[in-house]
Amino acid sequence: MSAPIPVRRRSSPSVNQQAADLRLAVTRTARRLRQLADAGLSPSQLSALSTIERRGPMTLGELAGAEGVQPPTVTGAVARLEEAGLVARTTHERDRRVSMVDVTAAGLERLRRSRRAKEAFLARGLASMGEEDRAVLARAAALLEGILADAPTGNAP
């Protein structure tokens, strides 16, 4: 495991400095986890696959809204996922003009492998820490979830 990155210590950092430090740490962590995913998918494809798995069968329009992207972007991502056998399209039962997309067994397995790799990386890091530090990170994870739950979706500042 590499040496920890030093954190600038101030007697009382401002909220803006704390936000900047947190943004950097979260961004670096997310980047490392994406690198570990090794799912053979782009980040947007992996995100779309995860959203479909989490929310269940959905229309392409619903997926675009959930992902915060334009429909043509989702159409391309779903086409590539479908070619890889990770999602399947079906016709909507009430409106035959609408396609529904759902995760296949192969897609579920790809997500499981990706998540296992990410979780193994984090578990190795956590195992090298003391109980007190793990408790701090558990509390931080809960606090971050609270920030996300309270935040509007989309690109609002």
Side-chain angles (χ1 to χ4, degrees):
M1 176 174 231
S2 61
I5 296 174
V7 176
R8 290 174 293 211
R9 301 284 182 213
R10 293 191 177 98
S11 57
S12 181
S14 70
V15 170
N16 287 340
Q17 185 58 53
Q18 287 177 320
D21 291 345
L22 181 59
R23 176 199 49 78
L24 180 60
V26 168
T27 299
R28 291 179 52 129
T29 302
R31 182 181 312 124
R32 177 65 62 91
L33 293 176
R34 276 193 311 273
Q35 292 166 347
L36 292 167
D38 193 31
L41 302 172
S42 72
S44 60
Q45 291 168 342
L46 192 56
S47 178
L49 186 61
S50 295
T51 297
I52 298 164
E53 182 239 1
R54 220 176 24 260
R55 297 191 180 184
M58 58 193 340
T59 67
L60 296 182
E62 291 167 339
L63 180 58
E67 291 292 299
V69 299
Q70 296 299 313
T73 302
V74 161
T75 300
V78 168
R80 288 185 290 285
L81 291 170
E82 190 175 28
E83 287 170 12
L86 304 177
V87 300
R89 290 187 215 219
T90 58
T91 303
H92 191 282
E93 60 188 41
R94 283 178 260 142
D95 186 346
R96 313 262 328 138
R97 299 168 295 175
V98 176
S99 291
M100 302 293 291
V101 63
D102 199 4
V103 178
T104 64
L108 291 173
E109 181 54 32
R110 182 80 60 99
L111 286 170
R112 280 189 205 105
R113 274 197 328 262
S114 173
R115 289 172 180 156
R116 277 195 305 263
K118 294 172 189 180
E119 290 164 6
F121 168 77
L122 292 171
R124 284 190 302 275
L126 290 169
S128 72
M129 295 178 182
E131 190 174 323
E132 186 177 317
D133 286 342
R134 285 194 307 270
V136 167
L137 285 177
R139 177 77 176 130
L143 292 170
L144 285 171
E145 287 294 333
I147 289 171
L148 293 171
D150 294 342
T153 57
N155 294 328

